[in-house]
Amino acid sequence: MRPTVTDTLSVTVGLVTGQQMPAEWEPHQRTWMAFPTPNPTFGEDGGPDLARARRAWSTVANTIARHEPVTVLVNPGDHTAARELLDPAVEVADVALDDAWLRDSGPTFVRSPDGPVAVDWRFNGWGAQSWARWDHDALAARAVAGLTRTPVSGSQLTQEGGAFHVDGAGTVLLTETVQLDPGRNPGWTRERVEAEVHAQLGTTTALWLPRGLTADYGEFGTRGHVDIVAAFTSPGHVVVHTQPDPGHPDHAVSVEVLDLLRSATDARGNRLEVVELLAPRTSEVDGELVDFSYVNHYVANSVVVACAFDDPGDAPARAVLEAAYPGRAVVTVDARDVFAFGGGIHCITQQQPA
């Protein structure tokens, strides 16, 4: 049954912990990333797929490093390869890794009355997917917390950093097929999820999307991460991936999300201003459906690092982001060799607030 606005949007006042996650556009101390290592995603043999992933990840790191400090986690044994591709300004830290999606496996940095805190969500390979490994990545959040000497707030909720998005003013976006995924949180109710999210992030209003983009449910997908569907650009303002082609399976997804968010009110009691961010025209690569999305951008100090796809939609999307983030430069990076492995620029970056 198609969820109604009442079914899908929910507001709950969570526990008062004093923790609050700043919005991504607030000042950063540093960006954290991870360097691709041989695995089922990039290939076990260190072949051309791994090489192009490493070049793509390094291009993103080097771009951000021109605007703020960047540290890249590097699996022991990959240090030489990393240093060959990363600019000297990019710091590296040896940490055992399974994969390279640090938005998902790394900590969520929040503020508390006593100083910064690193939230350590449970991580199990995007719902214990058959191809995934996570013995090392499940420990990545605490590794980063140790490197930054940040106290840890452990959570019993299994989710990833790409599975939610906050406006810094009390509102959080979630997706039913992620937080309520039986492979992640069997037996959890929406109310229990909201209580834990609000306690850890300092939010009070959860806006639930019913699903993610269609290709995100493929072999290496996340089953509905919100950060390729919708993102706050300031309190009360949200950009939404919009597929205008009625024949595309994401057309119905975007219509549903647009309708829901246009009917929603945020934590301040205001209706959201929803901006459509049109999907790239490219919808398939080598006959396979892709989930290319301009929503999956990263906001760093003084800059927005945006996805490009050598697509006619690149320039209009850049203009939308320039209007959404006045005073920030919008720099585009070819993201095709990031999306080829299951995510985008936002998925491989994690901010540490100032």
Side-chain angles (χ1 to χ4, degrees), residues 15 21 70 76 119 130 142 163 182 193 207 209 258 276 288 315 338:
L15 304 176
M21 182 182 180
V70 176
V119 178
S130 60
R142 290 182 181 266
V193 169
L207 305 182
L209 307 186
L258 286 166
E276 297 184 14
E288 296 288 333
V338 182

Side-chain angles (χ1 to χ4, degrees), residues 4 20 25 49 57 86 90 104 112 128 141 157 160 168 191 193 195 223 232 247 254 265 279 299 339:
T4 65
Q20 183 178 32
W25 52 83
D49 281 349
W57 265 246
L86 295 169
V90 177
D104 293 346
S112 79
L157 180 67
E160 306 83 35
E191 291 73 24
V193 169
R223 301 175 183 167
F232 291 112
S254 60
T265 54
V299 186
F339 273 87

Side-chain angles (χ1 to χ4, degrees), residues 71-72 96 156-157 163 186 211 230-231 245 291 298 335:
T71 298
V72 176
Q156 291 301 304
L157 180 67
R211 52 180 168 160
D245 178 6
D291 52 7
Y298 180 61

Side-chain angles (χ1 to χ4, degrees), residues 19 24 56 67 78 100-101 118 138 199 254 283 295 320 330:
Q19 293 180 189
E24 191 171 306
H67 301 272
D78 292 340
W101 307 96
S254 60
S283 60
V295 168
V320 170
V330 176

Side-chain angles (χ1 to χ4, degrees), residues 118-156:
V119 178
D120 177 21
W121 312 103
R122 294 184 64 185
F123 179 77
N124 74 342
W126 302 277
Q129 297 200 48
S130 60
W131 52 266
R133 300 172 183 167
W134 61 89
D135 286 350
H136 296 309
D137 284 359
L139 305 175
R142 290 182 181 266
V144 173
L147 291 168
T148 59
R149 299 182 180 180
T150 305
V152 172
S153 176
S155 176
Q156 291 301 304

Side-chain angles (χ1 to χ4, degrees), residues 91-342:
E91 298 180 12
V92 299
D94 286 342
V95 173
L97 298 169
D98 298 299
D99 218 318
W101 307 96
L102 205 67
R103 170 69 53 180
D104 293 346
S105 59
T108 299
F109 287 99
V110 300
R111 295 179 180 139
S112 79
D114 298 322
V117 172
V119 178
D120 177 21
W121 312 103
R122 294 184 64 185
F123 179 77
N124 74 342
W126 302 277
Q129 297 200 48
S130 60
W131 52 266
R133 300 172 183 167
W134 61 89
D135 286 350
H136 296 309
D137 284 359
L139 305 175
R142 290 182 181 266
V144 173
L147 291 168
T148 59
R149 299 182 180 180
T150 305
V152 172
S153 176
S155 176
Q156 291 301 304
L157 180 67
T158 301
Q159 68 166 354
E160 306 83 35
F164 59 88
H165 204 281
V166 302
D167 68 351
T171 311
V172 60
L173 299 174
L174 304 172
T175 312
E176 292 180 8
T177 58
V178 176
Q179 283 82 11
L180 300 180
D181 175 13
R184 288 173 166 100
N185 299 298
W188 282 59
T189 63
R190 187 179 304 195
E191 291 73 24
R192 184 181 176 190
V193 169
E194 289 185 6
E196 178 63 10
V197 167
H198 294 330
Q200 297 289 355
L201 302 182
T203 49
T204 58
T205 298
L207 305 182
W208 289 84
L209 307 186
R211 52 180 168 160
L213 300 186
T214 304
D216 198 22
Y217 296 86
E219 181 181 8
F220 293 110
T222 69
R223 301 175 183 167
H225 272 193
V226 73
D227 67 353
I228 60 171
V229 182
F232 291 112
T233 58
S234 64
H237 296 77
V238 61
V239 291
V240 174
H241 178 88
T242 304
Q243 174 52 255
D245 178 6
H248 193 287
D250 284 334
H251 177 72
V253 176
S254 60
V255 167
E256 188 171 27
V257 171
L258 286 166
D259 287 348
L260 288 167
L261 292 180
R262 283 172 175 151
S263 302
T265 54
D266 63 15
R268 302 174 303 166
N270 298 326
R271 283 288 181 94
L272 295 176
E273 182 174 326
V274 179
V275 176
E276 297 184 14
L277 196 48
L278 292 183
R281 294 186 192 174
T282 303
S283 60
E284 292 185 355
V285 173
D286 296 330
E288 296 288 333
L289 186 70
V290 293
D291 52 7
F292 290 174
S293 172
Y294 299 112
V295 168
N296 198 267
H297 60 280
Y298 180 61
V299 186
N301 292 341
S302 76
V303 69
V304 176
V305 184
C307 297
F309 305 100
D310 191 25
D311 187 275
D314 291 353
R318 179 174 180 167
V320 170
L321 294 174
E322 286 173 340
Y325 298 102
R328 274 187 163 88
V330 176
V331 176
T332 57
V333 173
D334 191 327
R336 287 174 292 179
D337 280 346
V338 182
F339 273 87
F341 300 103

